[in-house]
Amino acid sequence: METARRLVAIVDDDPGVCRALARLARSLGFDAATYPSGEALLSGLAPGGARPDEVLLDLHLPGLRGPDVIAALRRRGIGARIVVMTGLDRPGSRELCLGAGAAAYVTKPIRRDDLATLIGRPD
């Protein structure tokens, strides 16, 4: 019997970033799903549907921003490990995201080795 691969949800409004991170996640043995916004991620989490094990979440999104998405995921009981990523690191952003429940906060670009460290490798 084949076991399900762990799922990484990648949330970024830049399609190129989504493609690159999805390719990296798959090369590490994960399944990957991409979303252009926090709202798209939240609407994609249907009851009884697949839930991500890891979330790579852009901080600066149109609509719901990173900390808002983290709060919404936690309210829904999604216990995924959340890594917030940003290309524009501003004072206080790291503390805000970690305080909201993110496990890590990193700046882009993210290299393969760094991603492997951040999300681990599937069992």
Side-chain angles (χ1 to χ4, degrees):
M1 183 169 135
E2 190 175 319
T3 59
R5 290 167 39 130
R6 287 178 46 210
L7 176 63
V8 176
I10 300 159
V11 187
D12 199 299
D13 57 326
D14 182 331
V17 170
C18 282
R19 279 191 305 275
L21 289 174
R23 191 170 38 251
L24 285 175
R26 289 182 186 112
S27 77
L28 293 169
F30 290 89
D31 283 336
T34 61
Y35 303 90
S37 67
E39 292 89 348
L41 169 67
L42 295 170
S43 67
L45 297 174
R51 291 182 173 228
D53 300 291
E54 313 280 344
V55 177
L56 298 177
L57 176 64
D58 187 23
L59 174 61
H60 302 288
L61 293 165
L64 288 177
R65 315 252 318 162
D68 301 321
V69 176
I70 295 168
L73 289 170
R74 297 306 185 225
R75 280 193 304 273
R76 291 180 179 206
I78 306 294
R81 187 171 187 281
I82 301 170
V83 175
V84 173
M85 50 190 185
T86 186
L88 181 60
D89 187 20
R90 294 188 175 155
S93 293
R94 175 183 304 275
E95 294 78 11
L96 180 65
C97 292
L98 296 176
Y105 177 96
V106 299
T107 56
K108 296 178 195 172
I110 301 172
R111 294 184 351 237
R112 185 179 191 278
D113 292 343
D114 296 333
L115 185 63
T117 300
L118 288 167
I119 65 175
R121 295 187 189 272
D123 298 43

